[in-house]
Amino acid sequence: MYTQSARIDPMTAVEIVGLTKTYQGKSAGKSTTTQAVAGLDLRIELGEVFALLGPNGAGKSTTIEILEGYRNRDSGDVKVLGVDPQKGDAAWRARIGIVLQSTKDLTELTVVESLATFAAFYPHPRPIDEVLHLVGLGDYPNQRGSQLSGGLRRRLDVGLGILGRPELLFLDEPTTGFDPEARRHFWAMIQGLRAEGTTILLTTHYLDEAEALADRVGVINHGTLIALDTPSGLGGRGKALAKVSYRNTDGRIVEIETATPTQVVRELSSSNPGELAELKITRPSLEDTYLAMLGPDGE
Amino acid sequence: MSDVATSSVSYVAICSARIRAELKSFFRQREAVVFTMLFPLILLVLFGSIFGSQDEIVPGTPFVNYFVAGMLGASLMTSSFQNLAITIAMERDAGLLKRLRGTPMPKSAFFIGKIGVVMVVSLASLALMLTAGVLFFDLNLPVDAKHWAVFAMVFVLGLTACTLCGIAFSSVPKNGQAAPAMVSPIAIVLQFISGVFFVYSDVPSWLQNAAAIFPLKWMCQGLRYAFLPDAAKAREVTGDWELDRVALVLSIWIIVGLVWCLRSFRWRNRADG
């Protein structure tokens, strides 16, 4: 059994200390080494919704797959629900739910048949009707996998991920292919799971999704965590100056950076009797902050 | 296996869920059903009719009986080796194996599901082929308990060896799309040199030697013992059925297949590392 190490808190959902992973590969006949994860530290609390952001190739997927028990690490300490994922047994797997990035399987089975097959693997599966309802597949119970659109397939993936009532749910780009309405529905489902106490580790390329769902976001690049904060606090975003802008009577855009935008607007309205053209107050969006963080080359 | 028991989950229920899912998936794929079950039957009827009964391998035994016994062996190989080597390669590519690996399902349950589908498909194929053989080509069923027992032995040992080799071979093609193009030629070549389409003792000896390495030749030989009159052993290379040799070679292939599976089986495709 797992023995508790001094550094690891048993009440933590995910604890990563000094994680490294290097891939040996070959390109153009030469052997190459790629450092996918280079000394990552991260702690995710129970009940938290955590979004891991980062460009493709930053080490996001490798990290997630190490946590899911798919890959072995080179060095570092990793505990997921108190267990080293490399030694995770069936009992541990019953406590986690995994939604992989893209899938093309289960084409011949209907939605209900797939769910029923996987329900047999779990000690306390959710009733299938409940899963259908939660992921919004109530209208398609007897549709075969091959007949589902991309977005509906993704809902099936999520349904299979939450079927076993996981304590920790991994969602790897879960809403790819969703229309805006399906995405809102999905977000509501995640809020529901969170209310039940499920810890969720999410990766996404949609920053509005991270902002809407996550308690905290971590940005990973070149294999290390370069930022870790709440969505509103990331990169000093919460303290960033607001920008008040309007078009003046000469037709020019005037921009005022200020910590007190309300005061600025108040002064503007007393000195300008009419309407201010194109008046706007903006703060840096999560996307602006994120892109600025990664630098000019997007890396 | 250490991961078999999870407190309140029934291993039997998991395996039966897997078998049901495998059977549904197989029989809903029309191409797989045609390729695995109907194609051998069509070959049997076609070649059986073309060769007819003009040639006799020994007096009183037409070549078509020799051919039917060989086709039974080929159909066992199709429902196990070809079926699994191709479908598992495709399922691995589609991400099914990776998905299953992420659940608490014991690994062994996946293989139990595959064995279940191989059993059903091979028994159904045998029933179809035997019926066609008896109806159209005057095939005689095994004459006594010993001949039935040898039939059963070839079925169990041959099917086990081919199942294990099929599971192992699924990791050889680069991806799922490449699988049929790699697996089918191997099966067809083996059928030509192992005593399915031609009398084995008429095949050039270097090809005989090559065929004798693989299970199909020995499966066909055991099936000929089960279905042909004893006098037909005069057309065997050694003039004897060599049943002990049949059992030995198939058993060795079971061990080879098992070790090969344990060493090479992958739950993810190559692009996924």
Side-chain angles (χ1 to χ4, degrees), chain B residues 35-37 39-41 43-44 66-83 122 125-126 129 154 159 162 187-188 190-192 194-197 215-217 219-221 223:
Chain B
F35 176 75
T36 313
M37 298 183 64
F39 189 53
L41 186 68
L43 281 184
L44 177 81
Y66 189 101
F67 173 68
V68 172
M71 276 310 292
L72 292 176
S75 108
L76 285 182
M77 183 172 160
T78 304
S79 29
S80 52
F81 176 77
Q82 281 141 283
N83 176 12
S122 59
S125 289
L126 276 187
M129 308 263 292
V154 171
L159 202 62
C162 290
I188 292 168
L190 282 180
Q191 287 169 14
F192 271 101
S194 301
V196 177
F197 298 123
L216 184 61
K217 182 258 175 187
M219 290 159 68
C220 294
Q221 194 167 317
L223 291 166

Side-chain angles (χ1 to χ4, degrees), chain B residues 5 7 10 13 64-65 72 109-110 129 140 154 184 186 188-189 193 213 232 235 243 245 248 255 257:
Chain B
S7 55
S10 147
V64 73
N65 282 15
L72 292 176
F110 174 74
M129 308 263 292
N140 297 311
V154 171
S184 305
I186 292 173
I188 292 168
V189 167
I193 65 176
I213 299 170
R235 285 301 294 273
L243 295 178
R245 194 54 83 81
L248 178 71
I255 295 166

Side-chain angles (χ1 to χ4, degrees), chain A residues 41-54:
Chain A
D41 299 313
L42 178 63
R43 204 184 143 98
I44 299 170
E45 303 301 331
L46 284 175
E48 191 174 16
V49 177
F50 189 92
L52 195 56
L53 309 178

Side-chain angles (χ1 to χ4, degrees), chain A residues 84-116:
Chain A
D84 179 344
Q86 277 171 227
K87 298 174 188 152
D89 58 2
W92 175 73
R93 293 209 165 273
R95 299 168 62 202
I96 64 171
I98 297 176
V99 176
L100 296 168
Q101 216 171 77
S102 65
T103 58
K104 295 172 284 186
D105 57 335
L106 301 172
T107 49
E108 304 304 319
L109 299 180
T110 67
V111 168
V112 165
E113 286 166 348
S114 287
L115 290 167

Side-chain angles (χ1 to χ4, degrees), chain A residues 18 42 61 144 147 193 200-201:
Chain A
L42 178 63
S61 297
R144 292 199 191 163
Q147 299 163 334
L193 290 175
I200 293 165
L201 175 48

Side-chain angles (χ1 to χ4, degrees), chain B:
Chain B
M1 260 191 193
S2 63
D3 59 353
V4 162
T6 331
S7 55
S8 55
V9 177
S10 147
Y11 185 64
V12 174
I14 294 177
C15 291
S16 71
R18 281 305 318 156
I19 292 172
R20 261 177 286 138
E22 292 284 0
L23 288 174
K24 281 177 186 157
S25 298
F26 178 86
F27 284 100
R28 284 174 190 174
Q29 274 174 290
R30 211 167 294 154
E31 320 83 68
V33 176
V34 169
F35 176 75
T36 313
M37 298 183 64
L38 292 182
F39 189 53
L41 186 68
I42 292 167
L43 281 184
L44 177 81
V45 174
L46 204 66
F47 280 85
S49 309
I50 292 169
F51 296 141
S53 40
Q54 74 259 42
D55 290 327
E56 293 190 333
I57 52 155
V58 291
T61 304
F63 172 73
V64 73
N65 282 15
Y66 189 101
F67 173 68
V68 172
M71 276 310 292
L72 292 176
S75 108
L76 285 182
M77 183 172 160
T78 304
S79 29
S80 52
F81 176 77
Q82 281 141 283
N83 176 12
L84 294 186
I86 293 171
T87 51
I88 296 177
M90 289 181 155
E91 288 170 349
R92 182 183 291 113
D93 247 20
L96 176 66
L97 275 60
K98 186 178 185 183
R99 189 202 292 276
L100 289 171
R101 207 49 216 102
T103 72
M105 179 198 78
K107 287 184 208 170
S108 56
F110 174 74
F111 301 104
I112 302 268
K114 290 297 179 195
I115 291 166
V117 77
V118 166
M119 286 296 290
V120 170
V121 171
S122 59
L123 284 172
S125 289
L126 276 187
L128 282 173
M129 308 263 292
L130 282 178
T131 310
V134 170
L135 284 183
F136 303 129
F137 305 117
D138 301 321
L139 179 75
N140 297 311
L141 292 178
V143 287
D144 58 20
K146 191 182 172 209
H147 285 73
W148 276 108
V150 170
F151 179 32
M153 175 193 84
V154 171
F155 178 79
V156 171
L157 296 183
L159 202 62
T160 307
C162 290
T163 298
L164 289 167
C165 290
I167 292 170
F169 197 88
S170 72
S171 302
V172 174
K174 255 196 299 249
N175 54 51
Q177 277 185 319
M182 276 193 84
V183 175
S184 305
I186 292 173
I188 292 168
V189 167
L190 282 180
Q191 287 169 14
F192 271 101
I193 65 176
S194 301
V196 177
F197 298 123
F198 303 109
V199 175
Y200 178 72
S201 51
D202 293 348
V203 168
S205 63
W206 66 277
L207 284 175
Q208 284 181 7
N209 294 337
I213 299 170
F214 298 101
L216 184 61
K217 182 258 175 187
W218 302 97
M219 290 159 68
C220 294
Q221 194 167 317
L223 291 166
R224 286 198 293 275
Y225 166 81
F227 288 93
L228 301 187
D230 202 50
K233 71 181 173 194
R235 285 301 294 273
E236 297 300 322
V237 175
T238 59
D240 187 73
W241 296 115
E242 299 178 288
L243 295 178
D244 51 348
R245 194 54 83 81
V246 170
L248 178 71
V249 175
L250 294 180
S251 301
I252 290 172
W253 269 102
I254 290 174
I255 295 166
V256 169
L258 189 62
V259 172
W260 188 13
C261 278
L262 292 174
R263 293 180 62 98
S264 73
F265 194 80
R266 341 161 33 102
W267 294 85
R268 286 176 293 164
N269 68 16
R270 291 190 193 193
D272 198 13

